């Protein structure tokens, strides 16, 4: 269950020699997910934080470098005041497979929580062998850092024993086996819901009595994802037209500035009187081309990566809403099934008492009675036996309907809280993402203005005799 390469866990370097030391007194962070406490607002759906958890992923290190089992481990650190942790500054080294285990089991243990998605492992880098390149490891580190940040902002997930072990355990591989063998919540035993779900429920069923609150939430998710998709497509086009790395495409603006610089430099060789000013101008064009490329790599590319990650995060939120609908659908389908079984029991009771025509069950019940009579299945004893079995089934179904109703209501309450948590996390993350992008753009334009401000006086001093 843990993969084919689980035998190399012992080789993980648990302590990093370059791990930074933390201050004894850490400033308490602020913002959604980093609160020490939440005042009781009286709203049962308002989430409550018991403390803060600030996480970090850094220092990617290639382990077993000279073997076929080579992999990359990352130093995960945290600062926290949550009582579940044994130290305020836990840290450990973890590999990507550990993050996968963490995510999969958080989804299983907390089905009503929005557990963020991990970056896709099946990329071209794993085929070409470039997954150990510094660029790929840094992108992966940033994605994992963002994954843990989202978990740390969640008031339920941040307090799970699995998260504590992920940051603190020095025998993580042993803990994983124990967690699989003895999960924190017992596996539910098969019930009547499980026995009939394959025949009653399917992926194309729709909730018969939709809740307006969740319809509004789904509409909000649709609009959010539509905005993310539109923004991602827009900046992908901007990136391709600015620095797509393919000069032959005719849309690489950085290559155009570079070609213009070469042309201006060649012109300077022909105009001996203004060679120096033209060389300065050519150098400015080269600098601006380099600035454009640098801006693409440090601002546009991270923005596109973050947008894609946010979209995957929103998909996880949509999955929780879909699961809530499934819980309600379970209740509705079971209720309908119970009604059908009850009607069948009532029909048999009417036939036995000789008042089949007064039951109001219609022509269908009459035809069924005639068919049973022709088959010789109209014996009162067989009907009584069938009624006894139906009574037993009705009792089971009534219990199942009650359980499904309670489960649906409880899951709906959890989903309402979860949407508030997701909204807090989403708002904080979008603000941070756009703020970082705006800061990068400001730095880019400041540097560009300095370059052009230096060359403008030199160009203005050029005098050409006509």
């Amino acid at each position: 269950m843990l993969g084919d390469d689980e035998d190399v866990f012992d080789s993980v370097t648990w302590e990093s020699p370059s791990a930074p030391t933390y201050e004894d007194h850490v400033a308490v962070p602020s913002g959604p997910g980093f609160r020490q406490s939440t005042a009781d607002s009286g709203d049962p759906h308002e989430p409550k934080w018991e403390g803060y958890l600030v996480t970090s992923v850094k220092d990617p290190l290639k382990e077993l470098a000279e073997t076929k089992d080579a992999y990359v481990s990352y130093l995960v650190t945290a600062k926290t005041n949550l009582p579940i942790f044994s130290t305020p500054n836990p840290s450990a080294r973890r590999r990507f497979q550990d993050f996968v285990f963490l995510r999969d089991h958080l989804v299983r243990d907390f089905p009503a929580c929005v557990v963020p998605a991990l970056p896709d492992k099946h990329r071209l880098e794993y085929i070409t062998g470039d997954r150990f390149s510094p660029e790929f490891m840094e992108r992966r580190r940033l994605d994992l850092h963002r994954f843990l940040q989202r978990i740390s902002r969640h008031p339920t997930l941040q307090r799970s024993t699995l998260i504590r072990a992920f940051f603190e355990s020095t025998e993580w591989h042993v803990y994983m086996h124990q967690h699989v063998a003895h999960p924190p919540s017992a596996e539910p035993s098969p019930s009547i819901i499980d026995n009939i779900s394959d025949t009653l429920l399917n992926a194309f069923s729709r909730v018969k009595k939709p809740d307006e609150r969740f319809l509004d939430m789904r509409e909000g998710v649709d609009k959010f994802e539509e905005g993310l998709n539109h923004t991602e497509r827009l900046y992908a086009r901007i990136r391709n037209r600015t620095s797509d790395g393919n000069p032959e495409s005719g849309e690489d603006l950085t290559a155009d500035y570079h070609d213009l610089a070469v042309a201006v430099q060649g012109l300077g060789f022909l105009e001996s009187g203004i060679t120096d000013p033209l060389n300065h101008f050519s150098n400015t064009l080269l600098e601006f081309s380099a600035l454009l490329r640098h801006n693409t790599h440090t601002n546009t590319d991270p923005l596109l990566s973050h947008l894609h990650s946010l979209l995957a995060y929103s998909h996880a939120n949509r999955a929780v809403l879909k699961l809530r609908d499934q819980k309600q659908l379970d209740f509705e389908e079971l209720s309908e099934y119970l009604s059908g079984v009850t009607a069948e029991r009532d029909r048999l009771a009417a036939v036995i008492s000789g008042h089949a025509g007064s039951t109001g069950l219609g022509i269908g019940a009459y035809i069924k009675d005639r068919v049973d009579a022709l088959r010789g299945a109209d014996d009162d004893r067989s009907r009584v036996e069938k009624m006894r079995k139906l009574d037993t089934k009705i009792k089971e179904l009534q219990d199942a309907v009650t359980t499904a109703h309670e489960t649906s209501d409880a899951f709906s309450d959890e989903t309402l809280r979860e949407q508030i948590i997701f909204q807090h996390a989403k708002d904080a993350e979008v603000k941070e993402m756009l703020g970082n992008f705006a800061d990068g753009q400001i730095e880019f334009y400041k540097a560009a203005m300095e370059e052009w401000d230096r060359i403008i006086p030199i160009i203005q001093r050029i005098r050409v005799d006509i």
Side-chain angles (χ1 to χ4, degrees), residues 62 72 74 121 123-140:
K62 186 177 180 181
V72 178
Y74 302 85
K121 184 176 181 178
R123 292 182 177 178
L124 185 61
E125 288 85 350
Y126 282 86
I127 302 175
T128 62
D130 293 332
R131 64 190 180 103
F132 297 117
S133 67
E135 295 80 10
F136 176 76
M137 288 194 295
E138 176 58 22
R139 289 200 305 271
R140 172 59 56 80

Side-chain angles (χ1 to χ4, degrees), residues 68-83:
K68 63 180 180 64
D69 296 320
Y71 61 92
V72 178
S73 68
Y74 302 85
L75 178 66
V76 294
T77 64
K79 300 177 183 179
T80 182
N81 66 347
L82 291 170

Side-chain angles (χ1 to χ4, degrees), residues 9 26 142 154 228 238 277 310 325 329 337 342 366 380 393 447:
F9 277 114
V26 181
L142 185 59
H154 197 289
L228 289 178
I238 292 174
L310 262 178
D325 289 347
L329 188 60
Y337 187 42
T342 303
Y366 174 78
D380 283 346
K393 193 170 189 178

Side-chain angles (χ1 to χ4, degrees), residues 123-407:
R123 292 182 177 178
L124 185 61
E125 288 85 350
Y126 282 86
I127 302 175
T128 62
D130 293 332
R131 64 190 180 103
F132 297 117
S133 67
E135 295 80 10
F136 176 76
M137 288 194 295
E138 176 58 22
R139 289 200 305 271
R140 172 59 56 80
R141 182 204 66 79
L142 185 59
D143 286 336
L144 297 177
H145 175 76
R146 194 174 292 134
F147 167 76
L148 284 186
Q149 272 193 328
R150 290 166 178 165
I151 290 178
S152 69
R153 286 174 171 163
H154 197 289
T156 301
L157 299 180
Q158 66 174 196
R159 294 183 286 109
S160 71
T161 56
L162 192 58
I163 288 294
R164 180 193 64 190
F166 185 79
F167 282 99
E168 291 186 348
S169 177
T170 57
E171 296 183 345
W172 169 247
H173 58 294
V174 175
Y175 180 86
M176 287 196 298
H177 285 287
Q178 292 175 344
H179 190 84
V180 171
H182 306 286
S185 57
E187 292 291 333
S189 58
S191 64
I192 190 169
I193 301 178
D194 304 307
N195 295 333
I196 68 173
S197 60
D198 290 339
T199 57
L200 284 180
L201 309 180
N202 59 75
F204 303 101
S205 299
R206 299 179 67 87
V207 173
K208 296 179 177 60
K209 296 180 180 179
D211 190 321
E212 290 294 332
R213 296 173 299 176
F214 299 107
L215 289 178
D216 292 341
M217 289 177 186
R218 189 180 294 275
E219 182 180 357
V221 171
D222 290 340
K223 290 181 179 179
F224 178 61
E225 292 183 358
E226 181 182 358
L228 289 178
N229 280 317
H230 178 74
T231 305
E232 186 177 19
R233 288 194 299 269
L234 174 64
Y235 277 96
R237 288 198 298 267
I238 292 174
R239 190 225 184 279
N240 290 336
R241 293 176 180 178
T242 302
S243 179
D244 68 352
N246 182 20
E248 297 180 0
S249 67
E251 293 187 349
D252 193 332
L253 191 58
T254 59
D256 292 342
Y257 274 106
H258 183 275
D259 293 344
L260 180 59
V262 173
V264 170
Q265 189 178 40
L267 181 62
F269 294 141
L270 300 177
E271 301 292 339
S272 58
I274 55 174
T275 299
D276 286 343
L278 289 180
N279 283 339
H280 282 299
F281 184 46
S282 175
N283 290 335
T284 299
L285 291 172
L286 290 174
E287 288 294 331
F288 186 67
S289 175
L291 279 174
L292 278 175
R293 186 174 288 105
H294 179 73
N295 181 60
T296 297
H297 294 158
T298 59
N299 291 319
T300 307
D301 285 350
L303 176 68
L304 287 171
S305 176
H306 204 152
L307 286 169
H308 187 75
S309 177
L310 262 178
L311 193 58
Y313 193 21
S314 183
H315 289 341
N317 181 45
R318 181 187 292 276
V320 170
L321 289 173
K322 185 176 180 181
L323 185 57
R324 191 221 69 87
D325 289 347
Q326 186 62 51
K327 299 298 181 183
Q328 182 179 343
L329 188 60
D330 289 345
F331 167 66
E332 291 179 347
E333 295 286 358
L334 276 172
S335 299
E336 185 174 336
Y337 187 42
L338 173 60
S339 298
V341 174
T342 303
E344 174 66 11
R345 194 271 312 270
D346 293 342
R347 184 188 70 81
L348 285 176
V351 170
I352 293 174
S353 62
H355 297 86
S358 62
T359 60
L361 296 178
I363 188 66
Y366 174 78
I367 293 175
K368 189 176 188 304
D369 287 340
R370 294 300 91 201
V371 172
D372 288 343
L374 291 174
R375 289 176 176 175
D378 60 342
D379 183 72
D380 283 346
R381 286 181 300 177
S382 64
R383 292 195 181 102
V384 170
E385 178 63 21
K386 188 173 183 181
M387 277 189 60
R388 188 187 64 78
K389 292 180 179 178
L390 287 175
D391 285 336
T392 302
K393 193 170 189 178
I394 287 172
K395 180 62 172 64
E396 293 178 353
L397 279 170
Q398 287 173 339
D399 294 341
V401 167
T402 301
T403 301
H405 184 255
E406 293 173 351
T407 301

